[in-house]
Amino acid sequence: MEDNKLTGLNRWLSDFLTPVSAPQWPGEIPHEVDPPIGKLRGSRSDGVYIYRGIPYAQPPVGTRRFAPPVPVHPWEGIKDATQFGPMSYQDGEGNFSEDCLYLNIWSPEVSNTAALPVYVFIHGGGYVLGSGSQPLYEGKHLAQQGIVVVTLNYRLGTLGFLPSAAAYEEHGTTGNWGLLDIVSALEWVKENIRAFGGDPSRVTVGGESAGSYAVSTLIVSPLAKGLFDQAIMQSGSLPNATAVAPENVLSLEQAHGKASRFFDKLGLKDDAKGLAALREEPAYKLLAVSAQSTLQPPQVAGFWPVPDGHVYHADPIETVAKGEINPVRLLAGFNTDEGSLFVPPDATEQQYVSLINSAFGDSAAEVLQRFPVNMEHSAAARMNQLITLGLLRSGLYLYADTLARHREVYIYHFDYVDPDIAATGLGVIHGSELKFIFNNLIDHDNWNDDSIQVAREVQSAWINFIKFGNPNAPSENQLWQKYDSASPQEMHIAEERTMQPVLDRDDVVFINQRLQRQR
């Protein structure tokens, strides 16, 4: 039995984290399309056109390293789009390169005048891992339901988020290179997606984990205004409103200080001369400069986005609270056991206390008093609970409360165990909803009728929201009610879907207050 547990978990971790590209489908037939940027040769399979590895910006190398992306030039002739492009440098083994700014498109077999809804999905991975070509995010099954699906790569880690003061002087922005890549991809979609049957005025941006953090930042970014009308946030909100990266969520001044220390490790200064030298260093050398950190997974060390006043405002939490954001429709939520994937099986109370101290700072004592380890709650259970509450759920309702004043908001609580990992006892883990939404990597040998029905309902809800701005089908009873901040409820997704009050709302309010007090 123990071997079965490990097999299921290892399979899931491989699906979720391993930097590999989805394989081509058997029997793909060549197909060409002619968007404004230039002709592409993709392929056709099971009623879907597939275009892989489309460059949306010039390679961010040389003087374009640690700089905003530069739009790709239109090309002559026909560019091959049958293979995924390289992924951003990251740990592991894979097709990695600085030349990584590529996107992928799955579209139904329709004419370029179809005006279908578009779903742009941003991958997770803590801003240090992942790609848009992972098998988990294969867009074919969603496209078969009448949606144009786009996934993309963006710069990760140091290459994606180093907040150089010299770069700020040069470009008026810094530390947000990966976010600027995503904005550039959205601009590419707006200009070219009609050729693939998509409607540039019907774009939904979605993401999970760090991808959800990115979506939350796009909602507050003036640069993204008009590039999307709807958003989906799965297990992640504005980093400033969470405890997922307390060493990384910094003011512009603090970020400059952290970058200066990075330059020091390479014997350089963060000035024009030092930046020029850093741009000439081999990428592997930059990635080898490790940052000292006391953070515990899923807390992430390194460099993360910076409120630089250009990509987003200096105080994004205040910006959200005031409603000075892009007023989009929102679908957002969390999984029951977000934290279990990151908790050591033999977690100790000392490890729990260490996590809370690093995550909550001056408020740690209050948090530990409210959530003690005792006979009823083990250290592992408390770590799972507080990671879920404070790292991957907090901040969600700040967005819901604000956006509900402008547009429709729908909140969910995903509470169904993936049958493929049920034997691990980890519950409804971080990222487990993705398989249900994309309908990929499902081993039906382990799935009963209830499992298959939940998968159908979850995918249908996402499809309905992308198509209509409402997770309910137009012809069915409006079971999934809109979020109301005066009486907040969320859709409980389990064997049966039911509306319920926000789970553990008093705890949510308590955690959010402590986190916002720290900022």
Side-chain angles (χ1 to χ4, degrees):
M1 177 64 74
E2 194 65 30
D3 288 342
N4 289 337
K5 288 184 179 182
L6 290 174
T7 298
L9 179 58
N10 289 338
R11 184 190 301 121
W12 169 246
L13 289 173
S14 177
D15 295 343
F16 190 42
L17 297 175
T18 303
V20 297
S21 294
Q24 290 186 317
W25 293 90
E28 290 188 13
I29 300 171
H31 178 80
E32 293 181 7
V33 67
D34 189 12
I37 196 66
K39 290 184 178 180
L40 292 163
R41 179 179 293 112
S43 59
R44 177 164 55 90
S45 173
D46 292 338
V48 174
Y49 297 136
I50 306 171
Y51 307 91
R52 306 176 176 94
I54 306 171
Y56 65 84
Q58 296 181 38
V61 299
T63 59
R64 292 191 291 272
R65 180 190 278 178
F66 308 128
V70 178
V72 68
H73 296 306
W75 51 78
E76 299 293 330
I78 302 175
K79 183 178 287 294
D80 181 75
T82 61
Q83 306 292 326
F84 289 110
M87 299 172 277
S88 179
Y89 276 112
Q90 57 195 275
D91 287 341
E93 297 181 1
N95 182 20
F96 302 144
S97 173
E98 274 195 90
D99 179 9
C100 63
L101 302 185
Y102 296 89
L103 56 79
N104 317 293
I105 298 174
W106 293 261
S107 65
E109 287 186 15
V110 294
S111 71
N112 59 6
T113 61
L116 296 174
V118 181
Y119 181 41
V120 180
F121 179 80
I122 304 170
H123 71 78
Y127 287 129
V128 295
L129 296 170
S131 76
S133 58
Q134 288 177 245
L136 192 57
Y137 312 138
E138 165 74 50
K140 178 178 175 180
H141 296 116
L142 285 179
Q144 288 173 331
Q145 304 299 316
I147 294 169
V148 178
V149 179
V150 181
T151 66
L152 60 113
N153 299 343
Y154 54 95
R155 284 174 280 182
L156 300 171
T158 300
L159 294 170
F161 298 98
L162 179 70
S164 162
Y168 185 79
E169 290 297 319
E170 186 176 324
H171 297 291
T173 182
T174 194
N176 295 308
W177 318 119
L179 288 178
L180 288 166
D181 294 341
I182 297 170
V183 172
S184 181
L186 289 170
E187 291 171 339
W188 189 99
V189 166
K190 185 172 184 177
E191 294 168 4
N192 292 277
I193 205 65
R194 284 193 188 279
F196 303 87
D199 183 345
S201 70
R202 300 177 65 194
V203 174
T204 299
V205 173
E208 187 269 345
S209 196
S212 186
Y213 294 131
V215 171
S216 73
T217 308
L218 293 171
I219 292 173
V220 301
S221 175
L223 301 183
K225 184 177 182 179
L227 296 179
F228 62 101
D229 187 55
Q230 301 187 150
I232 300 177
M233 291 165 43
Q234 296 167 215
S235 306
S237 182
L238 191 70
N240 302 68
T242 76
V244 75
E247 294 180 3
N248 308 359
V249 180
L250 308 171
S251 68
L252 179 60
E253 182 180 0
Q254 291 170 330
H256 283 167
K258 186 173 181 178
S260 178
R261 293 188 291 274
F262 180 86
F263 276 80
D264 287 344
K265 292 180 181 180
L266 291 162
L268 300 170
K269 291 185 177 181
D270 188 3
D271 56 18
K273 182 178 177 181
L275 181 60
L278 199 65
R279 284 171 170 159
E280 295 179 358
E281 293 283 1
Y284 72 84
K285 188 173 181 179
L286 302 185
L287 299 175
V289 179
S290 60
Q292 294 293 322
S293 175
T294 60
L295 299 181
Q296 298 184 35
Q299 293 175 305
V300 181
F303 297 105
W304 270 36
V306 180
D308 62 355
H310 176 70
V311 175
Y312 63 115
H313 302 290
D315 189 342
I317 290 180
E318 182 181 2
T319 301
V320 174
K322 289 182 176 179
E324 297 173 354
I325 58 179
N326 300 318
V328 298
R329 296 186 190 90
L330 178 68
L331 172 64
F334 68 98
N335 299 348
T336 304
D337 301 293
E338 297 279 6
S340 63
L341 192 63
F342 309 100
V343 176
D346 55 352
T348 66
E349 184 172 1
Q350 183 178 359
Q351 288 174 311
Y352 170 60
V353 171
S354 177
L355 172 68
I356 298 306
N357 282 331
S358 67
F360 292 93
D362 294 341
S363 297
E366 293 178 84
V367 175
L368 290 168
Q369 183 178 9
R370 186 179 179 101
F371 302 99
V373 173
N374 52 34
M375 294 294 292
E376 296 180 359
H377 301 91
S378 67
R382 283 301 195 198
M383 289 179 76
N384 177 19
Q385 181 184 17
L386 269 296
I387 288 171
T388 301
L389 275 170
L391 280 67
L392 296 165
R393 190 179 171 198
S394 58
L396 164 63
Y397 303 97
L398 178 66
Y399 274 84
D401 290 341
T402 297
L403 287 171
R405 301 201 301 260
H406 305 279
R407 306 289 293 277
E408 297 86 350
V409 172
Y410 299 90
I411 304 298
Y412 71 87
H413 165 204
F414 186 71
D415 192 28
Y416 190 79
V417 177
D418 179 343
D420 294 336
I421 62 167
T424 66
L426 293 175
V428 189
I429 64 174
H430 183 59
S432 58
E433 84 287 1
L434 286 165
K435 188 187 296 186
F436 291 77
I437 294 164
F438 282 91
N439 194 21
N440 292 326
L441 306 172
I442 291 177
D443 183 357
H444 283 294
D445 290 342
N446 295 330
W447 288 51
N448 58 30
D449 291 343
D450 285 342
S451 306
I452 295 170
Q453 182 61 27
V454 170
R456 287 198 190 103
E457 290 178 351
V458 170
Q459 189 181 63
S460 293
W462 261 246
I463 290 169
N464 290 334
F465 181 79
I466 293 166
K467 286 184 175 181
F468 312 114
N470 185 330
N472 300 288
S475 60
E476 72 180 10
N477 181 33
Q478 301 295 291
L479 174 65
W480 194 329
Q481 300 167 23
K482 291 186 291 186
Y483 179 85
D484 179 358
S485 58
S487 179
Q489 295 194 63
E490 54 203 12
M491 176 60 74
H492 181 232
I493 301 174
E495 284 87 350
E496 295 183 2
R497 293 187 302 158
T498 56
M499 292 300 298
Q500 65 178 16
V502 167
L503 181 68
D504 300 327
R505 185 165 184 257
D506 289 345
D507 289 340
V508 170
V509 172
F510 174 87
I511 291 296
N512 281 342
Q513 287 175 343
R514 270 66 190 169
L515 288 171
Q516 292 176 37
R517 181 195 299 170
Q518 286 180 255
R519 310 303 179 200

